[in-house]
Amino acid sequence: MLKSKFKFRALLIPILIIALTIISIVILTENLPMKIEQIGWIDVYMSILFLFTWIYLVFGIFRSQIIEITIENIQIEKKNYLGFKRKYDFQYFNGFQTSIVSSKAGSFEYLYLVKDNQKIIKISTAYHKNYPQLKDKISLNLKDLGRIQFSYFDEYKEMFK
């Protein structure tokens, strides 16, 4: 049995989500009720920025990438942040694809377990300490479908599927 291990950066995401939520609640409670004349363009801009960041972190990163993976024999289990588990037989997938994501922090490889051109499970060197071991175990059980070009647009679309 092989179980994924998180890097420290993966643990920062929930902390950031909690901090953004608390800061937003404090700001709102201290300023409510607010008259429409008191609202400036910076208030609207910051509110939209906070909301977008919170949605991106919760529905994008936290829901789909900060996941615990357990591989046993011919099965892979995906467990998300709310504790919901889903087991898949390796036969369920068509294979796996990889892509490279470059950022200021460096380049990270992402591995997608794919079924009918849909990315079902995402594993990354950015969040998983033992990514090489997970990839080796997956490559023994699934066909490598090659490397794909990373697209932020596609990632945003998949966020809300």
Side-chain angles (χ1 to χ4, degrees), residues 14 43 49 58 125:
D43 299 322
L49 183 64
V58 171
T125 57

Side-chain angles (χ1 to χ4, degrees), residues 39-79:
I39 299 174
W41 67 270
I42 192 72
D43 299 322
V44 173
Y45 175 75
M46 291 305 291
S47 298
I48 291 170
L49 183 64
F50 263 69
L51 183 63
F52 178 76
T53 303
W54 191 86
I55 289 170
Y56 175 72
L57 289 172
V58 171
F59 293 104
I61 304 295
F62 202 52
R63 182 181 64 85
S64 66
Q65 296 176 23
I66 310 292
I67 58 171
E68 188 176 287
I69 301 295
T70 306
I71 300 174
E72 286 188 73
N73 301 326
I74 59 166
Q75 287 188 327
I76 185 165
E77 181 182 80
K78 170 186 168 183
K79 181 179 171 186

Side-chain angles (χ1 to χ4, degrees), residues 3-58:
K3 198 172 193 175
S4 63
K5 297 175 186 163
F6 291 117
K7 289 184 174 181
F8 179 70
R9 78 179 314 144
L11 303 176
L12 291 176
I13 302 294
I15 293 168
L16 187 57
I17 290 169
I18 292 167
L20 276 174
T21 304
I22 291 170
I23 289 169
S24 299
I25 290 170
V26 167
I27 290 171
L28 280 174
T29 56
E30 287 181 359
N31 293 307
L32 288 178
M34 186 181 271
K35 292 186 172 102
I36 196 78
E37 302 87 38
Q38 294 175 311
I39 299 174
W41 67 270
I42 192 72
D43 299 322
V44 173
Y45 175 75
M46 291 305 291
S47 298
I48 291 170
L49 183 64
F50 263 69
L51 183 63
F52 178 76
T53 303
W54 191 86
I55 289 170
Y56 175 72
L57 289 172
V58 171

